Amino acid sequence: MKQTTNKMPMWLRYVINIIVFFVLFGGSTGLVNSSIISTYYTRIIVLCGINMILALSLNIATGYLGQLPLGHAGFMALGAYASAIFMRSVTVSPSAIFPLGILIGGVTAAFVGFLIGIPALRLKGDYLAIITLGFGEIIRVVLLNIDSVLGFKFTYGAASLKNIPKTTNFFNTFLCVAITCFVIHTIMKSRHGRATLAIRDNEIAAEACGINTTYYKTFGFTLSAFFAGVAGALYAGYIGVLSPSAFGFMKSIEILVMVVLGGMGSMIGSIISATALTALPEMLRAFSQYRMIAYSLLLVIVMIFKPTGLMGNYDFSLSSLIGKIGGKSKPKSKTKTKPEKDGETNE
Amino acid sequence: MSKLLPVPSRGMIPERDIESPPVLEAIHLGVDFGGLVAVDDFHLLIGRTEISGLIGPNGAGKTTVFNLLTKVYQPTRGTILLGDKDTAGMNTSQVCRAGIARTFQNIRLFKDMTVAENVMVGLHHDIKYHIPGAIFRVPGYWRQEKAARGKAKDMLSIFNMQDMGDIKAGGLPYGAQRRLEIVRALATDPSILLLDEPAAGMNPSETAELMENITKIRDVYQIAIMLIEHDMKLVMGICEGIAVLNYGKIIAKGTPAEIMSNPVVVEAYLGKKEA
């Protein structure tokens, strides 16, 4: 079967994806606004969205770059604090300025990620895991112990940063998830993405192909930190109170579990498992005392029966799905993971 | 500085390349691992379009020489000149961009990527768009990606693999994986291609085909090729110059005929005759 001739033209894929995006966006906005989805569920959905961004961002470093950083919560904390401090300092309407706050969170985390990445990425495997774990802890401990800088009250240390404008809502979370998916997808489907994947598959060969591995590792790590910062900024606006203890080692592990469970290198996998692992503890409330057992058991079962994660390295493609339904073409794993499908999981 | 030193390799450069400057020159090259001298005093001169061979018993240091030339190991001593450029201080990727491409003894493909993508990784520097260009999918992105895909297909057609573009590289049969690795190396637009045991694990008919293809690659791309090989039929069949390595030192250099009748080489391979 000729794949190339039957393939849907690129522009059509884009049109379909954009339409689906607006339909989902409009539809879900309507549902939230008309309170068909209750505030309780909306809050869970928003938390799912934040965790999706976290999982997607760690997936860059783990799934695509093949490294194992264990300090992801540290970048999230940086994004959260940077954004929160900015949001507290502005006097204009917080919701209008929030996109800038998110950006500041992302950029701060990316900058620190870049600085940490340069020395850390010289190491591999277990060593990298430990050094990033160390950096993550440093960030947390610094936030815990420095409550004022030059007399200005900044982070409030262990007393926690309060009165952050609660600007995170369904819409900006949805948009952030969509943008995250879009940016990661477009980068991974380019020469830069290929270089990144080449490093994961075989670093020596990648280098022998003329790829500057240091550059791409640092780039991947920085990008990963950026989106973690974005997620942190959203988290700050969601929870309203920041305490360093929320960004401990366990948070990093939690994010890693989402990525591994979903399948390393699969965006749809990260999205599904982030949703499942966020929603599950809530759904299991009925079995209160057993819920942590059920949660852990689920992880064990998935890892035994599907060690590559729920999705392996399969990626969802809307256009190939439509092609399949229409019987037009047999899609290979030609992916087209566009922002839209996070909306589907959001519902 | 190469001009000042006596040209060490007599008879290594074929007639047609005498006029043009050598593509690669190794001078007094050597590397130590701890106290062990793995390669020492390695001299080599390779002509612009020469096919040369590097042979020697197991453990002689052949792959180490390749690793030195591609800077997987940094040499302890000596100079590597690529054209007229000194490669001192370069790393593997810089050396590759300067014009040395290689394959590996144990195949190193990007197994989770498709065949076409593997070649496109080799074309990495052929494609120019930047990261923002990729995110916003500027027209240049589409144009260059399409051109790269086409070029990858063209290059795969050297080995008749143009229809395998969408297959995962890890799923290819062994021989095809070896061939793909050569195509990927070629895609980096090298001036010299180093092949580390290209015929390992191939059957006689595949080896014969490979011999034809190596010559074809040289003719089409006008590059120098150097290969490590244990298959003497292949080496003697296509190499114009051969260097024999033993215990990290070159023990003989010359044309295939000279090498075959060289008593030192025979001794290295088969041992000394009892007196």
Side-chain angles (χ1 to χ4, degrees):
Chain A
M1 187 168 310
K2 284 247 166 63
Q3 267 117 26
T4 37
T5 45
N6 283 343
K7 223 179 272 169
M8 210 178 283
M10 247 344 172
W11 63 268
L12 188 62
R13 294 171 176 220
Y14 271 73
V15 170
I16 292 173
N17 279 315
I18 288 167
I19 290 171
V20 171
F21 169 73
F22 277 108
V23 167
L24 280 175
F25 187 53
S28 48
T29 305
L31 285 176
V32 171
N33 274 355
S34 58
S35 327
I36 292 172
I37 301 176
S38 69
T39 323
Y40 171 68
Y41 284 111
T42 311
R43 279 187 74 77
I44 293 176
I45 291 172
V46 168
L47 198 59
C48 284
I50 293 170
N51 282 334
M52 276 180 209
I53 299 177
L54 281 173
L56 286 166
S57 68
L58 186 63
N59 189 32
I60 302 172
T62 310
Y64 295 137
L65 200 58
Q67 310 296 327
L68 185 65
L70 284 182
H72 215 57
F75 299 127
M76 183 190 175
L78 282 169
Y81 271 90
S83 154
I85 290 165
F86 170 75
M87 292 301 290
R88 272 163 55 99
S89 66
V90 293
T91 42
V92 287
S93 119
S95 46
I97 207 83
F98 193 45
L100 191 61
I102 294 175
L103 203 63
I104 285 176
V107 169
T108 310
F111 179 69
V112 177
F114 173 73
L115 291 183
I116 292 175
I118 291 171
L121 290 168
R122 299 169 70 96
L123 304 172
K124 281 170 193 159
D126 316 357
Y127 309 105
L128 180 89
I130 288 168
I131 198 172
T132 49
L133 171 73
F135 275 120
E137 284 298 284
I138 288 171
I139 292 170
R140 188 182 65 84
V141 171
V142 166
L143 288 174
L144 193 64
N145 287 296
I146 295 182
D147 63 338
S148 63
V149 179
L150 300 171
F152 294 100
K153 281 282 191 190
F154 259 151
T155 64
Y156 291 85
S160 73
L161 190 63
K162 297 190 185 78
N163 300 326
I164 305 160
K166 287 198 174 190
T167 37
T168 303
N169 53 28
F170 177 78
F171 321 108
N172 45 36
T173 311
F174 186 98
L175 276 178
C176 281
V177 175
I179 291 168
T180 307
C181 286
F182 181 76
V183 169
I184 295 174
H185 174 77
T186 48
I187 289 181
M188 291 320 293
K189 290 281 157 192
S190 73
R191 76 181 180 117
H192 307 288
R194 279 196 297 273
T196 311
L197 291 175
I199 293 171
R200 175 191 70 183
D201 276 6
N202 200 319
E203 195 172 332
I204 294 172
E207 211 165 350
C209 282
I211 284 164
N212 187 342
T213 49
T214 318
Y215 173 84
Y216 279 105
K217 278 159 98 177
T218 316
F219 166 70
F221 203 67
T222 309
L223 192 70
S224 173
F226 175 83
F227 286 115
V230 168
L234 285 169
Y235 179 77
Y238 166 81
I239 207 94
V241 179
L242 286 180
S243 141
S245 59
F247 305 106
F249 175 58
M250 281 317 289
K251 183 69 188 170
S252 299
I253 296 296
E254 199 181 298
I255 306 166
L256 187 67
V257 166
M258 286 175 194
V259 174
V260 175
L261 187 77
M264 289 200 245
S266 164
M267 283 171 68
I268 186 72
S270 295
I271 288 169
I272 290 175
S273 70
T275 313
L277 293 187
T278 317
L280 210 63
E282 294 296 330
M283 289 175 189
L284 290 175
R285 260 180 212 289
F287 313 96
S288 51
Q289 69 263 52
Y290 300 111
R291 73 178 173 147
M292 284 330 281
I293 299 173
Y295 181 94
S296 319
L297 209 60
L298 173 90
L299 292 182
V300 172
I301 290 170
V302 171
M303 283 299 113
I304 288 174
F305 290 102
K306 197 103 175 29
T308 53
L310 289 171
M311 291 288 147
N313 55 11
Y314 164 83
D315 241 331
F316 176 78
S317 158
L318 193 66
S319 6
S320 56
L321 186 72
I322 292 170
K324 210 185 261 177
I325 292 165
K328 273 174 73 180
S329 68
K330 191 117 193 183
K332 300 243 6 161
S333 54
K334 277 263 125 270
T335 52
K336 192 85 248 295
T337 320
K338 289 295 303 300
E340 295 63 43
K341 80 213 146 341
D342 56 63
E344 281 159 18
T345 36
N346 250 346
E347 290 312 322
Chain B
M1 73 175 278
S2 60
K3 295 283 176 292
L4 299 174
L5 289 159
V7 176
S9 51
R10 182 192 62 85
M12 275 292 275
I13 290 190
E15 288 288 311
R16 62 172 188 286
D17 289 334
I18 299 260
E19 294 299 312
S20 46
V23 60
L24 183 86
E25 189 172 358
I27 305 156
H28 288 298
L29 195 61
V31 66
D32 301 346
F33 297 121
L36 178 82
V37 182
V39 173
D40 196 27
D41 212 20
F42 184 87
H43 283 276
L44 196 70
L45 199 64
I46 296 176
R48 190 58 52 179
T49 59
E50 181 184 350
I51 298 180
S52 52
L54 185 61
I55 61 171
N58 284 327
K62 303 182 295 293
T63 301
T64 309
V65 167
F66 271 21
N67 283 339
L68 286 175
L69 294 178
T70 53
K71 294 294 174 97
V72 173
Y73 304 141
Q74 291 294 336
T76 319
R77 307 172 281 282
T79 314
I80 304 164
L81 295 173
L82 189 60
D84 50 5
K85 229 184 313 175
D86 192 340
T87 62
M90 288 188 181
N91 63 26
T92 307
S93 67
Q94 286 163 333
V95 163
C96 170
R97 292 193 67 184
I100 304 183
R102 72 172 292 183
T103 65
F104 295 88
Q105 191 173 355
N106 45 343
I107 306 176
R108 291 179 183 271
L109 285 174
F110 309 127
K111 289 200 173 73
D112 283 340
M113 297 163 82
T114 66
V115 170
E117 281 169 345
N118 265 273
V119 182
M120 285 163 84
V121 172
L123 292 169
H124 186 76
H125 291 289
D126 211 45
I127 315 172
K128 297 279 184 235
Y129 62 81
H130 294 293
I131 291 162
I135 295 172
F136 297 108
R137 298 274 145 123
V138 293
Y141 166 86
W142 297 110
R143 199 175 54 240
Q144 292 179 35
E145 282 287 297
K146 202 176 163 205
R149 205 160 272 279
K151 194 168 175 186
K153 205 170 174 179
D154 283 351
M155 302 198 83
L156 284 168
S157 67
I158 310 170
F159 288 121
N160 267 326
M161 287 168 73
Q162 64 272 32
D163 295 328
M164 297 184 183
D166 288 334
I167 302 173
K168 281 252 162 76
L172 286 177
Y174 183 81
Q177 292 198 5
R178 284 228 171 264
R179 289 192 285 270
L180 174 58
E181 212 186 13
I182 297 176
V183 177
R184 188 184 66 189
L186 271 178
T188 62
D189 190 23
S191 50
I192 177 166
L193 179 62
L194 308 179
L195 302 176
D196 200 341
E197 300 201 11
M202 284 189 178
N203 63 35
S205 75
E206 281 178 320
T207 307
E209 205 186 314
L210 182 75
M211 283 169 73
E212 259 171 53
N213 283 321
I214 290 175
T215 322
K216 192 170 119 193
I217 287 168
R218 193 268 314 271
D219 294 341
V220 173
Y221 292 93
Q222 287 293 306
I223 57 171
I225 294 172
M226 186 175 190
L227 47 94
I228 293 176
E229 191 47 73
H230 284 295
D231 187 330
M232 282 306 142
K233 219 174 116 202
L234 186 146
V235 176
M236 297 302 170
I238 61 171
C239 291
E240 293 155 298
I242 294 172
V244 189
L245 207 61
N246 198 17
Y247 295 112
K249 285 194 169 129
I250 288 185
I251 54 168
K253 272 184 203 170
T255 61
E258 286 166 0
I259 293 296
M260 271 192 280
S261 55
N262 190 325
V264 184
V265 178
V266 177
E267 189 192 309
Y269 270 92
L270 300 175
K272 211 174 191 151
K273 209 167 161 186
E274 297 263 335

